[in-house]
């Protein structure tokens, strides 16, 4: 996470320089990161210190596609373009359309490299507050309270210290919390046109030293949110948030790219993959045509994309299990007032198998 940006008085560079005194005993590579604070302190005393740079792994749109994204290249380019311009992007869609999967990969592609230290992930939920996300009082080990920054303030500080790099906060289920209450005054500053010191505002809570310093969200901090639009228990996003984010809908993608991926990477039987696609497509057509449901309740491709390679001859058994334990219960929930309809739809999925 971002804490590597704030160790000691020296700000770490993009390559996260790790210092090692050659006079010391050899240390296993896995311990170097843990000892970075001591190593940084030692570098002032040992003139011969050796710098060892953590390798930078480049990441681009091509890598998103190689990882198994079923969107077309121009669609991913559009997502990145909107994120660069608007600074804030929400991926919305039915369950199983790869929103979470894509969010972090978009962050890496935006930065041009796979660097987890510049991406923070948080999930909104009804119990999350401004004090958790921005700044608030926290209990200490001594039984007292101290002011502590939340994930978003840590991201703001890290991005401010390294303006040449891009930082991303990924917010899962952004509509499960109350964004206006969680962001507080920073909701105003999220706007792309207000990312300057001139627009800075004072927070509800002062800094840890008791002083009030105006805060602004830097240009190089981006927000990617995900939103499930099929959950009836969630309220619609308020207009203040909606105006500050670009919204992009993700849909079920049972496409040639999906077929190629599940056959080559997941060992799904090539003779059955078209049949699985047809069965899910027919179910989605039925869901979309139902006035009680609609397009936002369709079944996403993630449900029928195995996480691991299947054993030979296991495709039918795998699909039956998915229908029985994942898709079936979801359809029972969808048609809770018409159980017969749900049972018929479930039976059609595995008919003849």
């Amino acid at each position: 996470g971002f804490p590597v940006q704030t160790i000691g008085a020296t700000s770490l560079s993009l390559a996260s320089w790790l210092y090692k005194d050659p006079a010391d005993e050899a240390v296993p590579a896995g311990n170097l990161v843990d000892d970075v604070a001591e190593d940084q302190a030692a570098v002032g005393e040992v003139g011969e210190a050796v710098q060892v740079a953590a390798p930078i792994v480049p990441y681009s749109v091509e890598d998103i596609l190689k990882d198994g994204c079923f969107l077309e290249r121009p669609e991913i380019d559009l997502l990145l373009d909107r994120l660069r311009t608007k600074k804030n992007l929400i991926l919305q869609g039915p369950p199983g359309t790869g929103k979470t999967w894509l969010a972090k990969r978009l962050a890496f592609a935006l930065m041009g490299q796979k660097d987890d230290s510049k991406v923070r992930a948080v999930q909104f939920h009804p119990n999350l507050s401004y004090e958790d996300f921005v700044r608030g009082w926290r209990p200490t080990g001594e039984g007292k309270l101290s002011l502590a920054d939340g994930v978003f303030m840590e991201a703001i500080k890290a991005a401010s210290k390294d303006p040449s790099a891009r930082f991303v906060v990924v917010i899962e289920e952004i509509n499960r919390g109350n964004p206006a209450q969680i962001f507080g005054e920073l909701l105003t500053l999220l706007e792309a046109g207000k990312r300057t010191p001139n627009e800075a505002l004072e927070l509800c809570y002062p800094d840890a030293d008791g002083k009030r310093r105006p805060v602004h969200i830097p240009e190089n901090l981006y927000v990617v949110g995900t939103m499930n639009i099929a959950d009836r228990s969630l309220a619609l996003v308020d207009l203040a948030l909606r105006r500050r984010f670009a919204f992009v809908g993700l849909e079920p993608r049972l496409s040639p790219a999906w077929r190629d991926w599940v056959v080559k990477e997941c060992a799904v039987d090539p003779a059955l993959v078209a049949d699985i696609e047809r069965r899910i497509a027919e179910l989605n057509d039925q869901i979309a045509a139902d006035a009680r449901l609609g397009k936002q309740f369709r079944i996403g491709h993630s449900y029928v994309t195995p996480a691991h390679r299947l054993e030979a001859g296991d495709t039918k058994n795998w699909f039956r299990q998915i229908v029985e334990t994942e898709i079936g219960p979801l359809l029972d929930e969808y048609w809770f007032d018409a159980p017969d309809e749900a049972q018929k739809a479930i039976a059609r999925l595995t008919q003849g198998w």
Side-chain angles (χ1 to χ4, degrees), residues 99-251:
K99 301 180 290 294
T100 298
W101 184 93
L102 184 57
K104 203 166 185 181
R105 285 168 174 80
L106 281 177
F108 290 147
L110 177 78
M111 297 187 297
Q113 63 188 50
K114 211 164 189 176
D115 187 351
D116 282 302
S117 72
K118 292 181 175 59
V119 179
R120 292 296 296 269
V122 63
Q123 181 168 339
F124 277 10
H125 53 81
N127 207 34
L128 194 74
S129 68
Y130 175 91
E131 286 73 17
D132 300 313
F133 190 60
V134 181
R135 181 180 286 164
W137 292 101
R138 287 283 177 281
T140 66
E142 294 80 44
K144 299 177 181 177
L145 292 176
S146 67
L147 269 176
D149 286 338
V151 169
F152 201 56
M153 269 307 295
E154 286 178 356
I156 287 173
K157 287 181 175 178
S160 298
K161 285 183 179 177
D162 191 358
S164 63
R166 287 171 167 165
F167 292 75
V168 182
V169 174
V170 175
I171 303 174
E172 301 284 356
E173 307 283 5
I174 197 167
N175 56 334
R176 280 195 185 279
N178 179 348
Q181 182 255 327
I182 294 170
F183 277 102
E185 58 278 306
L186 293 184
L187 185 59
T188 300
L189 302 182
L190 269 178
E191 206 168 318
K194 295 186 176 175
R195 300 291 193 94
T196 64
N198 294 338
E199 300 287 346
L201 295 173
E202 286 186 1
L203 301 184
C204 292
Y205 296 94
D207 286 354
D209 60 7
K211 293 183 180 177
R212 288 191 173 274
R213 295 179 181 87
V215 172
H216 75 282
I217 301 176
E219 287 271 0
N220 59 326
L221 179 60
Y222 300 78
V223 179
V224 180
T226 69
M227 193 165 88
N228 181 355
I229 56 175
D231 195 328
R232 286 179 271 217
S233 68
L234 302 179
L236 294 172
V237 173
D238 69 39
L239 294 178
L241 183 81
R242 190 167 285 282
R243 195 167 66 79
R244 287 164 175 83
F245 280 81
F247 286 74
V248 178
L250 298 183
E251 300 195 338

Side-chain angles (χ1 to χ4, degrees), residues 53 66 69 77 99 124 131 164 178 200 281 305 330 333-334 338:
K66 282 179 197 167
C69 183
D77 287 335
K99 301 180 290 294
F124 277 10
E131 286 73 17
S164 63
N178 179 348
T305 306
L330 187 63
E333 180 73 24
Y334 281 0

Side-chain angles (χ1 to χ4, degrees), residues 1-46:
F2 288 122
V4 294
Q5 298 295 323
T6 55
I7 293 172
T10 309
S11 181
L12 295 183
S13 70
L14 182 66
S16 301
W17 292 105
L18 304 177
Y19 298 98
K20 184 182 174 188
D21 182 354
D24 289 342
E25 283 189 81
V27 181
N31 295 335
L32 284 176
V33 174
D34 298 337
D35 298 332
V36 75
E38 287 105 349
D39 291 336
Q40 274 202 306
V43 81
E45 303 161 7
V46 184

Side-chain angles (χ1 to χ4, degrees), residues 252-304:
R253 289 291 176 129
L254 298 173
S255 59
W258 170 80
R259 285 199 296 273
D260 289 346
W261 178 266
V262 296
V263 169
K264 291 175 185 170
E265 303 293 330
C266 309
V268 171
D269 190 336
L272 299 174
V273 72
D275 200 9
I276 292 172
E277 181 181 352
R278 177 185 60 78
R279 289 167 190 250
I280 297 294
E282 286 175 0
L283 172 63
N284 279 339
D285 288 343
Q286 181 186 354
I287 291 170
D290 193 311
R292 294 162 294 185
L293 299 171
K295 289 172 66 175
Q296 71 269 29
F297 287 88
R298 289 173 296 171
I299 304 296
H301 49 263
S302 298
Y303 283 97
V304 287

Side-chain angles (χ1 to χ4, degrees), residues 71 75-83 89 91 102 248:
L71 295 176
E75 292 175 298
I76 303 174
D77 287 335
L78 174 64
L79 288 175
L80 282 171
D81 191 47
R82 293 304 297 138
L83 181 55
L89 176 74
L91 304 174
L102 184 57
V248 178

